[in-house]
Amino acid sequence: MKILVVPMFFFLLLFAGCRERKMNAGFDVEAAMGTNEELVFSEMFDSLACVPLETTDEALLGQGAYVAYADEKDVFIRYDSRIYHFAADGSFLNSIGQKGDGPREYAILYSVSIDARDKRLAYYVGQGRIQYWDYNGTWLGEKILRADGELTDVYECGGRFIAENRLYTEKGLFTYLCIYDADGGLLHKVPIARDEQSVNISLYTVPIMYFFSGAIRYKDVNSDSLYSCSGDSVAVICRFDLGKYKPSRELLEDMNQRETLMEDCVQLVDIQESQENFYLLLVYDYAVRGVVMDKATGAIRYSKKMVPPQKGGGITNDVLGGCFWPSFVGDDNALYQLLLLENISDKGKQYIAPHAIRDHLMVEDANPILLKVYE
């Protein structure tokens, strides 16, 4: 299949619209661990837009940077506990937030929610604290979400905050999804799971939370269920079955069991979701495996050990060079990734040069190329 390469800023409308597909209820991830299915970029994707990101002293992106959010006007890159804001043509606009111990700073940036309608970002910085910033990097204020126990991750969506709440007690672990209103008031506390196992907690685990089609997807690390949270409703939409590889909570949370966890058990550490597929990252036997599963059938389309995407791993990109793995999926079902210039092949440079809007910025040590693709 020939890939159509077009400039990011003048991206062509190639499809009539996204089709809703019925989702399979269960996904056999255990089977994927013993499967090797190879795909290359041109077999997965029909169109590709690419644009170099402007390189300045204030916006040098290193290995580990990834797309946190993008649309037809703005691109937000997360790198080194900050957000870097670019225009859709790759021009650098500003950075947002500052790591530190002072006022309007944060020690850890746990999660970022971008509100394109109100043009603001909500940073969850721990201890129930939400910091607000506008697109220009101006501080807008702070809110506190209160809960018993620990809020491990928080996302804002549609005027609601969705937060995982873990409460460790003498009777075991209680896990809830808490839904807060725009002012931080608790609306609902939905029980997700509980167990009676007492564990000496020394490993910090986090849930998987991400945006998809106007909702928040959520997966507790201690269960197989993937939830969809929209408005005030919470529902299980599918399950990922790890089978014999599923770790216990003791293995997930006890540093003394880390060797067993890393060698014998599978950890599902990331999910990216498109209309067609789930893109899963799993850790097993001290290695990362990428798995692509068809949402409608549960079929395994791709399963392979690979270098972590933060270090350039993924599906072999036979068009531009390097590899591809999405770090963000937009509302228009576009999949985004950053590709380091050093990984682009000579063939890839020939593809990019006639189409890149800011091709004069493609110099040694420049920022990566932003890729936008459609399945």
Side-chain angles (χ1 to χ4, degrees):
M1 179 183 296
K2 183 178 180 180
I3 294 287
L4 175 63
V5 184
V6 294
M8 175 71 77
F9 195 58
F10 301 102
F11 201 92
L12 302 179
L13 181 62
L14 302 176
F15 308 96
C18 297
R19 293 178 292 115
E20 288 293 334
R21 306 177 78 212
K22 185 177 180 181
M23 187 184 298
N24 195 48
F27 294 85
D28 188 359
V29 182
E30 180 182 2
M33 302 308 299
T35 303
N36 284 297
E37 291 287 342
E38 178 69 271
L39 279 173
V40 295
F41 185 91
S42 60
E43 295 173 329
M44 284 284 294
F45 305 106
D46 287 326
S47 58
L48 163 66
C50 49
V51 62
L53 299 177
E54 181 179 1
T55 304
T56 70
D57 291 339
E58 297 80 17
L60 290 175
L61 304 175
Q63 194 174 77
Y66 64 90
V67 182
Y69 176 86
D71 57 29
E72 69 279 1
K73 295 181 180 179
D74 298 280
V75 178
F76 294 92
I77 308 296
R78 181 167 175 173
Y79 174 63
D80 195 22
S81 296
R82 300 185 78 182
I83 296 294
Y84 294 84
H85 181 199
F86 294 83
D89 69 350
S91 303
F92 175 65
L93 299 177
N94 54 275
S95 60
I96 304 173
Q98 180 63 49
K99 186 176 181 180
D101 298 323
R104 303 180 181 182
E105 296 180 339
Y106 45 83
I108 301 175
L109 179 55
Y110 289 92
S111 59
V112 178
S113 308
I114 288 94
D115 184 341
R117 184 190 65 181
D118 293 333
K119 296 189 179 303
R120 68 178 187 180
L121 297 83
Y123 287 11
Y124 178 56
V125 298
Q127 298 180 326
R129 295 169 54 217
I130 306 292
Q131 293 185 356
Y132 282 112
W133 307 80
D134 70 13
Y135 275 20
N136 296 319
T138 302
W139 165 269
L140 298 177
E142 184 174 282
K143 290 180 181 177
I144 301 294
L145 308 182
R146 303 193 181 280
D148 295 331
E150 176 187 19
L151 296 182
T152 54
D153 220 353
V154 181
Y155 278 84
E156 184 181 22
C157 180
R160 296 285 188 266
F161 293 101
I162 310 296
E164 184 193 67
N165 176 210
R166 293 184 195 167
L167 183 61
Y168 292 91
T169 73
E170 294 180 354
K171 296 181 180 180
L173 170 64
F174 295 78
T175 305
Y176 304 92
L177 269 186
C178 291
I179 303 175
Y180 297 86
D181 64 23
D183 295 321
L186 181 63
L187 296 174
H188 304 286
K189 190 174 183 180
V190 182
I192 297 298
R194 65 167 292 185
D195 66 47
E196 298 177 353
Q197 183 180 12
S198 177
V199 175
N200 177 24
I201 304 165
S202 54
L203 278 175
Y204 183 77
T205 58
V206 295
I208 295 173
M209 297 183 78
Y210 61 93
F211 294 95
F212 179 76
S213 191
I216 297 291
R217 300 293 209 221
Y218 159 79
K219 183 186 176 300
D220 171 22
V221 296
N222 297 302
S223 73
D224 298 333
S225 299
L226 181 67
Y227 293 81
S228 183
C229 313
S230 179
D232 297 335
S233 65
V234 177
V236 175
I237 57 170
C238 68
R239 289 182 169 82
F240 296 101
D241 183 10
L242 296 176
K244 65 183 180 182
Y245 298 105
K246 182 178 179 180
S248 66
R249 183 161 71 86
E250 179 183 7
L251 290 176
L252 283 169
E253 296 184 342
D254 188 349
M255 180 66 77
N256 295 326
Q257 303 279 353
R258 187 174 185 275
E259 296 299 316
T260 301
L261 172 67
M262 294 295 293
E263 187 171 1
D264 298 334
C265 300
V266 169
Q267 299 170 74
L268 178 53
V269 296
D270 187 58
I271 300 172
Q272 297 296 328
E273 179 180 352
S274 68
Q275 289 285 345
E276 304 289 330
N277 300 299
F278 281 116
Y279 294 78
L280 311 178
L281 288 180
L282 305 119
V283 175
Y284 172 65
D285 196 19
Y286 296 94
V288 172
R289 176 175 290 268
V291 175
V292 181
M293 304 189 82
D294 187 288
K295 287 171 63 176
T297 66
I300 301 167
R301 302 191 63 191
Y302 175 91
S303 180
K304 187 179 178 182
K305 287 185 178 180
M306 65 187 199
V307 174
Q310 297 90 336
K311 297 183 178 180
I315 297 168
T316 299
N317 191 332
D318 56 331
V319 177
L320 298 180
C323 297
F324 178 86
W325 198 264
S327 65
F328 176 75
V329 181
D331 288 340
D332 61 349
N333 206 41
L335 288 74
Y336 292 86
Q337 180 218 8
L338 298 180
L339 179 61
L340 296 177
L341 294 179
E342 63 193 51
N343 294 332
I344 299 176
S345 65
D346 291 339
K347 174 185 174 183
K349 291 176 182 176
Q350 293 175 6
Y351 269 101
I352 292 173
H355 303 285
I357 295 169
R358 307 185 65 86
D359 55 359
H360 63 283
L361 298 173
M362 291 181 61
V363 296
E364 188 176 356
D365 298 326
N367 273 335
I369 299 291
L370 175 69
L371 303 185
K372 178 180 181 179
V373 306
Y374 284 88
E375 294 169 329

